[in-house]
Amino acid sequence: MRAYYFDDLPGDQRLPHDSGKSVSDETLEAIGVLHWHIPVDEAGGFKAVDAVATQRNYKNRDVIVITKESLGDEYETKIKNFYKEHMHEDEEIRYILEGSGFFDVREHATESWIRCHMSAGDLMVLPAGIYHRFTLDEKNRVRTMRLFKDEPKWIAYNRGIETDTSPYRLDYLKSIEVH
């Protein structure tokens, strides 16, 4: 995974938008973002992913494919929806099995976007309450394992007054020591 500040220039969201300013692992950790690179085992074994799941108490998982073929007529709408700034009430955990894409996470202190380019073998944990968004890159394909602490769910709460004051957002800000 490569992390850098988003350049904020207009243009296709699937382009790199690379400002040339790298972001360190320490900066990501300071905002609660964790990541590992775990090579995808072609034989189907996921021992290292299972170890992370056990350590973090993830009980369920599924696999999703995001491509023009898999989403059909809903493709453009789904891609635009994923790219809206939002948060979740649960951690968001993604392990890239094939393809690649971008997770953009909001750095609270500066309101800057940090772009994380992920490809096969990258596993990322976004804390509950962090503002983020997702898009494919120019390859327009990703197959991703989603991990969940409880039953699989994916409810996005778009940024606004209600999400800014939600208990999950406030807990997140407390966890990164923002007052």
Side-chain angles (χ1 to χ4, degrees):
M1 184 189 86
R2 181 170 173 268
Y4 54 88
Y5 286 100
F6 187 83
D7 65 13
D8 286 321
L9 297 175
D12 189 328
Q13 68 195 40
R14 292 168 257 212
L15 295 174
H17 288 279
D18 190 343
S19 67
K21 298 177 192 168
S22 294
V23 172
S24 68
D25 288 345
E26 293 78 20
T27 299
L28 290 172
E29 288 175 23
I31 61 171
V33 175
L34 305 174
H35 68 92
W36 296 264
H37 183 79
I38 302 170
V40 178
D41 181 350
E42 296 301 325
F46 294 103
K47 289 181 184 173
V49 173
D50 292 342
V52 172
T54 299
Q55 175 191 24
R56 300 192 60 78
N57 202 27
Y58 303 146
K59 298 179 185 93
N60 292 297
R61 62 184 73 180
D62 66 10
V63 174
I64 60 167
V65 177
I66 303 171
T67 63
K68 289 179 183 179
E69 297 76 24
S70 69
L71 295 175
D73 293 340
E74 294 183 25
Y75 176 76
E76 290 297 331
T77 301
K78 290 281 190 186
I79 292 298
K80 287 178 182 158
N81 281 339
F82 295 153
Y83 200 62
K84 290 179 182 172
E85 184 173 7
H86 64 277
M87 60 161 240
H88 303 286
E89 293 179 348
D90 301 306
E91 287 183 346
E92 182 162 348
I93 308 96
R94 300 293 182 263
Y95 177 57
I96 308 297
L97 299 168
E98 292 176 27
S100 49
F102 298 108
F103 269 97
D104 296 339
V105 293
R106 184 69 82 177
E107 183 179 46
H108 178 75
T110 66
E111 282 293 309
S112 297
W113 282 112
I114 297 172
R115 177 153 272 200
C116 302
H117 190 219
M118 297 178 62
S119 56
D122 289 331
L123 185 148
M124 177 181 275
V125 176
L126 301 179
I130 191 171
Y131 286 127
H132 64 283
R133 60 191 184 191
F134 173 78
T135 189
L136 295 175
D137 60 15
E138 294 172 284
K139 295 175 186 169
N140 288 313
R141 175 177 178 68
V142 72
R143 188 167 67 97
T144 304
M145 179 185 293
R146 304 185 302 173
L147 293 95
F148 305 92
K149 288 196 177 201
D150 294 306
E151 290 302 310
K153 69 177 180 178
W154 188 91
I155 301 172
Y157 297 93
N158 291 338
R159 187 169 186 178
I161 293 169
E162 287 183 32
T163 51
D164 282 344
T165 58
S166 87
Y168 299 95
R169 177 68 179 164
L170 297 176
D171 285 348
Y172 167 70
L173 294 175
K174 192 177 193 178
S175 76
I176 61 168
E177 299 180 9
V178 173
H179 305 288

